[in-house]
Amino acid sequence: MGVIGVQLVVTMVMASVIQKIIPHYSLARWLLCSGSLRWYQHPTEEELRILAGKQRGKSKKDRKYNGHIENKPLTIPKDIDLHLETKSVTERDTIALHYFPEYQWLVDFTVAATVVYVVTEAYYSIVKPSQEMNISIVWCLLVLAFAVKVLFSLTTHYFKVDDGGERSVCVTFGFFFFVKAMAILIVTENYLEFGLESGFSNFSESAMQFLEKQGLESQGPVSKLTFKLFLAVLCSLIGAFLTFPGLRLAQMHLDALNLATEKITQTLLHINFLAPLFMVLLWVKPITKDYIMNPPLGKESIPLMSEDTFDTMRLWIIILLCALRLAMMRHHLQAYLNLAQKSVDQMKKEAGRISMVDLQKMVARVFYYLCVIALQYVAPLVMLLHTTLLLKTLGNYSWGIYPELNSDTPVENSLLPSSVYSESPPADGKMKVTVVQITMALGSLKNIFTPLLFRGLLSFLTWWIAACLFSTSLFGLFYHQYLTVA
């Protein structure tokens, strides 16, 4: 039997789909170019001359009369009666957009990885293979790596700007989230039920047993303090990367609410904004789990659902909230594109003059950075979704609302049959020896990195991403609502 088998075929088919089909049928391109988004075109120089009542003079004397002296740029009054024309976003328009290749790759690869994950889950539920590596884990890890890379690239862009305001904001929030993570990691499991303590203890015991079998003496691979310090540093980096996505989301949320006319749209926008808060509360034991598992119904305590069912419902709620955020993406992007007209309206209230070039840049800059805003909206969503998928797979959870009785065992002591260790392959079968060695190595790793460890670690990371998003978006809401000048 091969090490991967059917899953390798699924991976090869999806790789071919990414190369041949997705470039022609791209979800990322459809989200921008389906016709629902409209961007504002910057006025041409001739249009601005007509509105300002100036004509291009042929002689130097005429140009001096119209306000254009040699290399001095032509200026117009700020209170000019300017109305921007709109146009639907097309595929040709997206060619010049900043970060469009990164946006298209992240979205399309996420779609491919999600399809591979769904097919693999169906394969595992039907065939139930016991000695195959779940290759969908690799796809999910690649998606997370691409999302973190994109957020890192966007964050470094703020450090390259001459104005140090954005750089100071990133550093400040990074230190803030470091202190916040250190405070969260000392909270007991009675309030935040991540399972980090039990997971780390299980990891240390398994690692010590493995080292003892190898004839090595050790008190554990790493101390608990070092483990939590490493987690705090990782959390501070994640928080710094999610700072501007959260701040931008708050501004788009306010603008989208002003654009929305239907009550259902406004309600969905509010739910979408509060979605990270709902995810955070799912792990707060006194608020959610205690009331659901043991609701106060008089003298008798009748649990509404089992603990396994609650864990499954938690996964489904996160996935549904991620789907809602994807569905509301166009409302937020259109709210961002309307900033061009909003900037022009704000300019009309000011006195003085502005050069034609600066006015054109002010309008064109909004559309030019559309994919940057789309990445700031999509990347945290992708991280939440695939961290949840990893939590389900590596944490040995179930998708069924009523899971089987024997599916809740978090740790399997013997992941490989004894025949793998007892039977020795023939001397001439080098390939079989290699397969057995790989299988034994994977079995040893599975005994060390148990589902109990992954449950605690991935639950904490999922909760932390949602907490960072809500913290930054809440601060952005307060800033744009009360601190900015209307």
Side-chain angles (χ1 to χ4, degrees):
M1 178 182 293
V3 177
I4 298 179
V6 176
Q7 300 182 75
L8 179 60
V9 177
V10 175
T11 297
M12 294 175 65
V13 170
M14 187 52 63
S16 179
V17 169
I18 292 175
Q19 184 179 7
K20 302 294 184 181
I21 298 179
I22 286 185
H24 303 284
Y25 300 95
S26 171
L27 176 64
R29 194 166 55 245
W30 179 78
L31 288 173
L32 297 182
C33 308
S34 61
S36 59
L37 293 180
R38 301 188 66 85
W39 63 285
Y40 290 86
Q41 296 178 294
H42 65 82
T44 62
E45 184 177 343
E46 293 298 328
E47 293 174 350
L48 293 176
R49 286 178 179 275
I50 295 175
L51 291 175
K54 296 181 179 181
Q55 298 179 356
R56 182 185 295 272
K58 296 182 180 180
S59 63
K60 182 182 296 186
K61 181 179 180 181
D62 295 333
R63 293 196 298 269
K64 180 178 180 181
Y65 177 76
N66 289 329
H68 185 83
I69 303 177
E70 295 180 356
N71 295 328
K72 183 180 179 181
L74 182 64
T75 61
I76 58 175
K78 288 186 175 181
D79 59 350
I80 190 173
D81 187 16
L82 176 62
H83 299 280
L84 302 178
E85 296 181 359
T86 61
K87 177 186 176 183
S88 298
V89 180
T90 61
E91 296 184 10
R92 181 176 297 180
D93 298 329
T94 59
I95 297 177
L97 293 182
H98 201 37
Y99 278 91
F100 178 73
E102 290 83 354
Y103 160 76
Q104 185 176 12
W105 171 253
L106 178 62
V107 175
D108 292 340
F109 187 83
T110 302
V111 172
T114 306
V115 172
V116 171
Y117 183 87
V118 172
V119 174
T120 305
E121 287 294 303
Y123 169 71
Y124 267 76
S125 63
I126 296 174
V127 181
K128 293 181 174 57
S130 59
Q131 296 188 27
E132 289 190 16
M133 171 185 169
N134 194 331
I135 204 170
S136 64
I137 298 174
V138 179
W139 284 82
C140 292
L141 290 176
L142 287 175
V143 170
L144 292 176
F146 289 138
V148 172
K149 175 184 176 298
V150 167
L151 290 176
F152 174 76
S153 178
L154 293 177
T155 306
T156 55
H157 177 74
Y158 292 112
F159 281 82
K160 297 177 182 178
V161 180
D162 295 334
D163 186 10
E166 292 85 355
R167 179 168 57 249
S168 301
V169 170
C170 289
V171 173
T172 303
F173 271 92
F175 279 105
F176 166 74
F177 283 120
F178 177 77
V179 176
K180 181 179 178 180
M182 293 294 291
I184 293 297
L185 288 173
I186 64 176
V187 177
T188 62
E189 298 287 338
N190 295 328
Y191 298 98
L192 295 174
E193 50 150 3
F194 303 128
L196 271 176
E197 298 290 337
S198 57
F200 179 77
S201 300
N202 182 270
F203 166 71
S204 298
E205 294 176 0
S206 302
M208 289 176 62
Q209 292 177 3
F210 174 77
L211 293 175
E212 288 178 358
K213 291 181 180 179
Q214 303 299 322
L216 301 175
E217 295 183 0
S218 175
Q219 296 181 353
V222 65
S223 64
K224 183 182 295 186
L225 179 61
T226 306
F227 174 73
K228 291 189 174 182
L229 182 62
F230 172 77
L231 270 183
V233 173
L234 178 62
C235 290
S236 65
L237 292 176
I238 294 176
F241 293 162
L242 296 179
T243 297
F244 279 98
L247 297 177
R248 177 63 66 179
L249 177 64
Q251 183 181 11
M252 291 190 296
H253 172 71
L254 293 174
D255 296 337
L257 282 177
N258 295 329
L259 292 175
T261 57
E262 300 179 358
K263 292 294 183 180
I264 183 64
T265 304
Q266 295 178 354
T267 303
L268 291 176
L269 286 172
H270 284 300
I271 296 176
N272 177 62
F273 182 80
L274 295 175
L277 175 62
F278 298 150
M279 298 179 190
V280 168
L281 294 179
L282 289 175
W283 274 277
V284 181
K285 193 175 181 181
I287 297 179
T288 54
K289 191 171 184 178
D290 286 348
Y291 276 95
I292 294 177
M293 299 292 296
N294 300 304
L297 300 176
K299 297 181 179 180
E300 297 182 358
S301 179
I302 303 175
L304 299 179
M305 62 180 68
S306 63
E307 187 172 353
D308 295 331
T309 304
F310 177 79
D311 294 334
T312 302
M313 289 291 295
R314 182 160 51 193
L315 298 177
W316 278 113
I317 289 174
I318 297 176
I319 292 177
L320 290 177
L321 291 176
C322 290
L324 174 62
R325 176 149 294 197
L326 180 63
M328 305 306 294
M329 177 178 175
R330 290 178 178 173
H331 294 274
H332 291 82
L333 293 183
Q334 186 60 58
Y336 166 74
L337 291 174
N338 291 346
L339 287 179
Q341 183 63 50
K342 188 177 179 180
S343 301
V344 172
D345 295 337
Q346 180 66 29
M347 179 194 69
K348 293 180 181 179
K349 300 178 183 179
E350 302 174 357
R353 305 178 68 86
I354 185 174
S355 66
M356 291 185 179
V357 176
D358 292 339
L359 176 58
Q360 291 173 340
K361 287 182 178 180
M362 181 181 65
V363 176
R365 187 184 297 114
V366 175
F367 179 66
Y368 182 68
Y369 286 101
L370 175 62
C371 287
V372 175
I373 306 304
L375 279 174
Q376 290 180 340
Y377 188 90
V378 170
L381 166 65
V382 168
M383 293 176 64
L384 275 174
L385 176 62
H386 281 268
T387 307
T388 305
L389 298 181
L390 283 176
L391 174 60
K392 186 271 167 190
T393 302
L394 295 177
N396 198 20
Y397 286 116
S398 174
W399 290 120
I401 301 299
Y402 299 100
E404 299 178 2
L405 296 178
N406 59 352
S407 64
D408 56 352
T409 305
V411 182
E412 297 178 3
N413 294 326
S414 179
L415 295 170
L416 298 174
S418 59
S419 60
V420 174
Y421 300 94
S422 59
E423 296 180 2
S424 58
D428 56 347
K430 295 183 179 180
M431 184 62 68
K432 293 183 179 180
V433 172
T434 304
V435 171
V436 171
Q437 291 177 349
I438 293 176
T439 308
M440 293 176 63
L442 291 177
S444 301
L445 290 177
K446 287 181 180 180
N447 289 329
I448 297 175
F449 298 96
T450 60
L452 197 61
L453 171 65
F454 288 119
R455 284 188 181 188
L457 187 60
L458 293 174
S459 294
F460 175 74
L461 290 179
T462 305
W463 183 90
W464 181 256
I465 294 173
C468 290
L469 271 179
F470 183 71
S471 300
T472 54
S473 59
L474 188 64
F475 177 81
L477 188 67
F478 175 77
Y479 175 79
H480 293 293
Q481 191 79 2
Y482 300 103
L483 300 182
T484 56
V485 180

